[in-house]
Amino acid sequence: MADYRKLQDQQLVHLLQNGSHEAFGEIYKRYWALLYRNARKMLQDDQDATDVVQEVFTLLWERYPVIEVEISLSSYLYSAVRNKIINIINRNKLKNGYAASLQQFLAEGSRVTENEVREREFAIEIEREIANLPDKMRRIFELSRKQHLTYKEIAEEVNVSEGTVKKQVYNALKILRFKLGSYFFLFLMFVFYPFR
């Protein structure tokens, strides 16, 4: 019997795609705590972080025959957690936005909320920081995050290798994470769901 602890992530993914409970168990043991800490840091709530990670692993098991891990298993799992957190933030934002808007409307007869002003200011700050990226990096980043092109499509568009595209997107995210500081996670939400 194979020692699943010694297998590399890619081998575990292959076994998982073939329905291996043992491979799933090893992935769970290997990544649960790491994903939980990441989610906990972003959500600042133990139960929400636990729920997010459990949901990601539930979906991983339910969709094992069709999962596509393009870069690495860790990247796939971290992206899945990030997307779940974005959904939570959006749901909370909608609830909070509605409550704030209603309260302000009742108090002042206006639908303009302080949150909308903050969102607008934050959107402007994000666009300013993206505009400050080096030209080639900015173009690649915008094709990736705003036009949602694949790395391959971007590589063909700007006539560079896929590796260069990946590196440029990684470097752009690194710069923006530094520039936007603690608001970086909110930045990701605005990139995928821009303020209109």
Side-chain angles (χ1 to χ4, degrees), residues 168-186:
Q168 290 288 324
V169 170
Y170 172 81
N171 288 339
L173 288 170
K174 192 172 171 185
I175 290 168
L176 293 168
R177 184 182 304 123
F178 175 76
K179 296 279 189 179
L180 296 171
S182 61
Y183 293 107
F184 180 72
F185 186 73
L186 290 174

Side-chain angles (χ1 to χ4, degrees), residues 150-173:
T150 65
Y151 288 159
K152 184 177 182 181
E153 290 169 334
I154 296 168
E156 291 170 0
E157 174 85 19
V158 296
N159 199 25
V160 295
S161 72
E162 283 185 60
T164 300
V165 170
K166 288 179 189 176
K167 186 169 184 171
Q168 290 288 324
V169 170
Y170 172 81
N171 288 339
L173 288 170

